[in-house]
Amino acid sequence: VCGYSMQSCQYELTRGFCTLPGGHRVGIAGTVVAEGGGIRSFREPLCLNFRIARQLPGAAGDLPQRLYSADRTPSVLLAGPPASGKTTVLRDMVRRLSAGEAGRRCQIAAVDERGELGGGLDAGEASLDLGPCTDLLSGYPKGAGMEIALRTLSPDILACDEIGGEEEAGAVLDSVSAGVPLLATIHGSSPEAVLRRPAMRAFREAEVFDLM
């Protein structure tokens, strides 16, 4: 999983996962070295959970055409429990919006912190198809990647997987201030559960998402 070098993967390991080529993610539990309330380093793996990334063309159904149009680009939040297919649907929507299925080709900046959305880079290209007009920021922390995309890539849509943490909340609000719609996913078993998350309070007050 680590290419025979756990040292080279310490950053990911301390966050509980390692991403393989193709966007497959391995959740890792084991023994760590803790310091100051945080994890300093990962020492010994005990359990591995393999999540296989699949590209399913059409997984988003008619959502691209139903939610978007040539003159309408809403901010959309896809919610669901873990392993419900949120990333697969998000990937399909990004690909199809980028290809023009909503009436025009949308320039999309996809911030892919864990390498699951685009599958990481292979010879400078995304391993998984995100469409012809998608700029992939692979491995960027979500908050930093969103800020960079807003400043430098002029996206029509900013796409991001699994938002909801405090570290990216500021970047989400900056996106709204800049007038760039979001297409994102979030964990939650129901709309009520999603709305109880602390970051969602700020998102609701700022009216970040048009559709959830």
Side-chain angles (χ1 to χ4, degrees):
V1 167
C2 294
Y4 301 97
S5 175
M6 286 179 60
Q7 263 322 107
S8 66
C9 298
Q10 276 296 323
Y11 175 73
E12 287 184 308
L13 291 173
T14 57
R15 306 184 72 204
F17 73 94
C18 194
T19 304
L20 303 180
H24 314 300
R25 190 175 76 186
V26 185
I28 302 174
T31 305
V32 301
V33 177
E35 185 177 271
I39 299 174
R40 184 163 65 88
S41 63
F42 189 88
R43 191 169 64 190
E44 184 180 21
L46 298 175
C47 305
L48 305 178
N49 180 280
F50 288 78
R51 294 182 60 179
I52 306 302
R54 294 185 296 165
Q55 187 154 289
L56 298 177
D62 64 349
L63 288 178
Q65 297 89 343
R66 185 152 55 91
L67 303 183
Y68 298 83
S69 66
D71 56 359
R72 181 171 184 258
T73 309
S75 286
V76 177
L77 183 64
L78 305 170
S84 60
K86 297 185 299 299
T87 302
T88 303
V89 171
L90 174 63
R91 185 186 301 118
D92 190 54
M93 289 187 68
V94 167
R95 179 183 63 81
R96 292 165 64 184
L97 291 170
S98 175
E101 289 197 22
R104 63 184 175 92
R105 290 193 173 191
C106 297
Q107 185 68 39
I108 299 176
V111 182
D112 191 15
E113 181 174 13
R114 297 180 176 179
E116 291 181 281
L117 188 57
L121 295 176
D122 182 12
E125 298 289 336
S127 300
L128 300 174
D129 185 9
L130 294 178
C133 297
T134 298
D135 296 320
L136 178 64
L137 295 89
S138 184
Y140 288 64
K142 281 191 281 285
M146 293 167 79
E147 291 176 4
I148 290 170
L150 290 172
R151 288 201 309 266
T152 65
L153 298 177
S154 301
D156 299 317
I157 298 173
L158 186 58
C160 189
D161 198 18
E162 297 185 9
I163 67 166
E166 294 181 4
E167 66 276 6
E168 66 259 17
V172 169
L173 297 177
D174 286 344
S175 174
V176 175
S177 299
V180 178
L182 291 167
L183 174 57
T185 68
I186 191 170
H187 285 310
S189 57
S190 67
E192 293 76 20
V194 171
L195 294 174
R196 284 197 295 268
R197 299 190 64 163
M200 284 301 299
R201 188 174 301 112
F203 297 163
R204 291 184 69 189
E205 291 175 355
E207 299 181 342
V208 170
F209 293 101
D210 303 301
L211 302 166
M212 182 175 77

